Amino acid sequence: MMGMMGGMGMMGGIGSAPSGSPEVLATLTYQGRADRTWSLPARLATVEPLPQPASSFRRLALGIGMGMGMGRGMTFVINGGRFDPNRIDTQTRLNTVEDWEILNSHSMDDPFHVHTNPFQVLDKNGVPEQAWRDTFLVRAGGRVRLRIQFKDYSGTSVYHCQILDHSDLGMTATLQIA
């Protein structure tokens, strides 16, 4: 059953039988012994930090709007604006680095995604994190800072909430890279 937020509801969630009890998906049978013991490294990869931005800083506020005309009820917005494919919301230059701060001013979590440009999360609500991402969760009332380098692609793209209802109801914006 699909819920308003585009995910599975309590009935028949992913990875469980309709009754809610666990379901066996596979059984692994093996014989003998492994020739060697494997262990995971203490660190899987080193994340080299992106260079400091020259001066660019952007603040994006994710929120909810009401009654934006034409009989629309609740809408989802970025910086107070509903998605308009004919408007460029953010302009940047190719081969630049920017810091963005994403604020979630409403009561629902928003998984935020930027097309064509992976980025590094700098911190979540002030707690440092250094990781490459293309999507991250901004908790209700939360703040995430990221650093993004615009390279390898010039043209028009978008950034948006990955919850389909939020995106479809306006929480999408246009990014122009020139």
Side-chain angles (χ1 to χ4, degrees), residues 65-161:
M66 294 298 289
M68 308 281 274
M70 304 284 288
R72 298 179 191 141
M74 180 168 53
T75 61
F76 292 87
V77 296
I78 298 177
N79 286 347
R82 236 179 144 302
F83 177 60
D84 178 349
N86 299 310
R87 179 185 68 227
I88 301 297
D89 297 292
T90 303
Q91 294 180 339
T92 192
R93 309 253 341 113
L94 192 61
N95 298 315
T96 60
V97 176
E98 293 186 359
D99 281 354
W100 289 16
E101 181 178 57
I102 316 301
L103 306 167
N104 184 345
S105 63
H106 66 102
S107 61
M108 291 179 258
D109 295 348
D110 289 306
F112 186 81
H113 173 66
V114 180
H115 282 226
T116 70
N117 294 283
F119 49 81
Q120 291 179 353
V121 174
L122 300 175
D123 71 73
K124 293 179 182 178
N125 298 315
V127 177
E129 177 179 317
Q130 192 168 358
W132 282 103
R133 305 262 188 236
D134 77 346
T135 304
F136 62 93
L137 186 64
V138 186
R139 296 275 182 200
R143 177 186 69 86
V144 176
R145 286 187 328 112
L146 62 94
R147 182 161 293 153
I148 185 167
Q149 183 173 29
F150 299 97
K151 66 177 194 173
D152 303 327
Y153 175 81
S154 63
T156 303
S157 185
V158 295
Y159 50 90
H160 61 96
C161 177

